[in-house]
Each structure stands twice: as structure tokens, then as C-alpha cells.
Amino acid sequence: MGAPAPLGPGLRPALPIPPQAALSPQEAAKRLNSVVPVKFTISSRTDAGVHALCNAAHLDVQRRSGQAPFSPEVLAEALNAHLKHPAIRIVQAFRVPGDFHARHAATSRTYLYRLVTGCHRPDQLSVFERNRCWALRAGCLDVDAMQEAAQHLLGTHDFSAFQSAGSPATGAVRTLRRASVSPDPGSPFVLAQENRLQFWNLEFESRSFLYRQVRRMTSVLVAVGLGALMPAQVKVILESRDPLGRHQARVAPAHGLFLKSVLYGSLAGGNPASVQQEGKETSGWPKNLQLETSSPKTGGLE
């Protein structure tokens, strides 16, 4: 091999230009050159390791005098241009009333928890499914018993027994509208020779949840499915209001949990992803954003 050619006078070796660092939605919003600092408020925060299929947020952008307000389409495009994030994108933006609050105005939140049974070793699970579900060694679950147990959780209750320490909530009363256990049609990432694996979906819907409530309820329902608890015992656990009990103190792994949807009943249709906003807009042109994400998020509440 020959020696590298010498550089001529005034020439310097070309250095690779590092790619632009990915920004968070909050950091991207600061690049919009708003007259006043942009406050980015997200609808739901999730614990470290939890996923979000979508989320919603609101922000106010005040343009300089003489500048036309951003259209929703331009705002979404601008934010995505600044984001450059491999796992987050802005799907849509909407104008909303000036008093709209992405967190407090939400009327429904749905969480999905994914399980897989028949997985005796971690390497038996597709690499695409790792960190996307809770892998159980058991070959099957008593789904009928799990569904019976879930009925005890429906309605308005004090869910203190399913709340982890560190919650900022001042009260533990919540209304659980839906709790379901159903087979997953099957992961597209699982090969035919791996048909011993069975995927399951647990879904929970409420206006709001306590810290780690969904993961604790999931753990208890799995205990029922494995025969460690009877369905009637779930009612006893709920009524105990004791978060330190043997079964309810267990928390399902974070990586199996997904924030699935956030809905707003005060908006036509209830879903900010597919409706026009009602009410008058303020001069600040507040926006509601729908975010699509595929990476774990950090935060406080499920």
C-alpha cells in the first residue's frame, strides 16, 4: 500500500460532519421562534421503559407582529424538521380553545399490556418482540379466570392497593371503564416454527390512572391466570387498600406496557387525531398535537 498523498498548500483533511442531534418535542418547540417561551404540556407521562403508541400535547406559539400564524400543517412539519428523532414524530396539529389543557381535558386514556406465554428462555422470543412484551414461562393462562377477576376492578373504587409509592395524586379513587383480556392474533415477527408462543392483550381504560396502577393490576391478573390467586381474591385485595400486600406489591415489567390512546370528549368526535376543534381561538394560536412514538418514555404517571 502506498503512503497517503501529501496535502497541497492551504488544503486540510475533510472531517466527517456529525449528524444533528435528535431533539425532544419540548426542545423542538423552542426552535419555533415564539415571541414568548413555548410551554409544552403533554397529556400523559409514562414510567421509564414504558412505550407510547401515541400521545397528545398542547403548546402556545406567539408569532411576531405582522407574521401570519402557523397553519396546523406547517406547525407539524416544522416540529418534525427540528425533531429529527428516530422514534418520535408529530402526526397532526389542531387549533384549540385558549383554555384547553392536554392533560386535564382528556376524558379517556387506554393502556395496552402485552403478554406472551410458552417462552421458556429469553432467546426463544423474536428479537423484534424483546422489550415489547412480558415473556412468561407458563404454557398457558386461565383466561376465563382472568376475565372474571377483571370484573371486580371495573367501576369507581379506591385503588390504593394498586398504587406505588411516589404518586403525586392526592386521592386514589378512580373509575375503571374497561378491563379486558384477549388473545393477540399473533405477532408478524414470530416464525412459523415458533407457534408454541401465544400472545395476549390486556387493555385498561379510565380517565386517569394512579402511578403504576396498570402494571400492578396486570401482575395480579397474571397471578390469577397462573392459578396463584382466585378471581374472588382480587376483590379482597382491592377492598384492602393495602399497597404492600404479597400479590399487589408486585409490578409487571415496564417494557410490556403501551399507552394506546388519549381521547377528548369536549372535542367533536372525542379524538384529536380526527376532528376539528370547537370554540374560539385566541391570538396566541394554541395548538393540540398528536405524537406517535416508538421508544420508552420517562416521567411520572402511567
Side-chain angles (χ1 to χ4, degrees):
M1 296 179 62
L7 296 173
L11 297 180
R12 297 180 181 178
L15 299 177
I17 300 176
Q20 181 178 335
L23 302 179
S24 69
Q26 293 90 331
E27 293 169 327
K30 294 178 181 178
R31 303 290 183 91
L32 297 176
N33 297 321
S34 176
V35 173
V36 295
V38 175
K39 183 179 180 181
F40 190 98
T41 303
I42 200 160
S43 70
S44 301
R45 297 175 296 164
T46 52
D47 216 1
V50 175
H51 311 282
L53 299 178
C54 72
N55 211 328
H58 80 260
L59 55 87
D60 292 278
V61 181
Q62 184 71 51
R63 304 294 309 276
R64 290 185 174 84
S65 177
Q67 290 184 322
F70 287 121
S71 70
E73 296 76 17
V74 169
L75 178 65
E77 183 178 345
L79 286 171
N80 280 324
H82 290 305
L83 268 174
K84 297 187 182 300
H85 199 292
I88 304 175
R89 73 181 178 116
I90 308 299
V91 179
Q92 287 180 302
F94 299 88
R95 298 190 184 102
V96 293
D99 59 354
F100 178 86
H101 194 286
R103 180 182 174 192
H104 302 317
T107 57
S108 170
R109 292 175 173 85
T110 298
Y111 280 91
L112 164 70
Y113 199 100
R114 300 182 68 233
L115 305 169
V116 60
T117 54
C119 189
H120 301 287
R121 301 190 314 274
D123 61 0
Q124 290 181 307
L125 191 62
S126 165
V127 294
F128 299 106
E129 284 290 358
R130 294 175 190 174
N131 295 324
R132 295 292 184 272
C133 58
W134 181 9
L136 301 173
R137 295 173 59 88
C140 62
L141 292 169
D142 187 341
V143 177
D144 290 339
M146 293 174 70
Q147 291 173 335
E148 180 184 343
Q151 298 305 303
H152 294 299
L153 300 173
L154 294 177
T156 302
H157 307 283
D158 185 322
F159 282 94
S160 295
F162 296 96
Q163 177 177 234
S164 289
S167 172
T170 56
V173 175
R174 296 291 185 273
T175 299
L176 188 64
R177 299 170 183 161
R178 180 162 58 92
S180 64
V181 184
S182 60
D184 190 309
S187 168
F189 305 114
V190 176
L191 302 177
Q193 57 266 37
E194 297 174 317
N195 58 9
R196 65 187 178 281
L197 300 178
Q198 172 64 59
F199 289 83
W200 303 91
N201 293 335
L202 280 69
E203 288 198 16
F204 304 90
E205 180 191 357
S206 177
R207 180 171 184 174
S208 62
F209 291 91
L210 300 172
Y211 183 44
R212 293 182 176 173
Q213 178 185 344
V214 173
R215 290 164 59 193
R216 281 174 170 249
M217 292 190 300
T218 295
S219 182
V220 165
L221 292 181
V222 167
V224 171
L226 296 175
L229 280 174
M230 298 297 292
Q233 289 179 270
V234 174
K235 182 179 181 181
V236 175
I237 290 173
L238 176 66
E239 294 176 346
S240 74
R241 302 183 183 180
D242 178 13
L244 302 179
R246 174 186 173 188
H247 294 285
Q248 64 267 33
R250 296 177 180 175
V251 181
H255 58 252
L257 184 62
F258 296 76
L259 174 61
K260 184 178 179 181
S261 68
V262 182
L263 303 180
Y264 297 88
S266 61
L267 303 177
N271 188 345
S274 61
V275 300
Q276 296 296 319
Q277 315 307 5
E278 299 177 331
K280 296 178 62 176
E281 298 160 1
T282 67
S283 59
W285 291 80
K287 299 288 188 289
N288 183 65
L289 304 174
Q290 186 192 33
L291 295 79
E292 178 185 63
T293 67
S294 62
S295 64
K297 299 290 172 289
T298 58
L301 301 179
E302 281 182 347

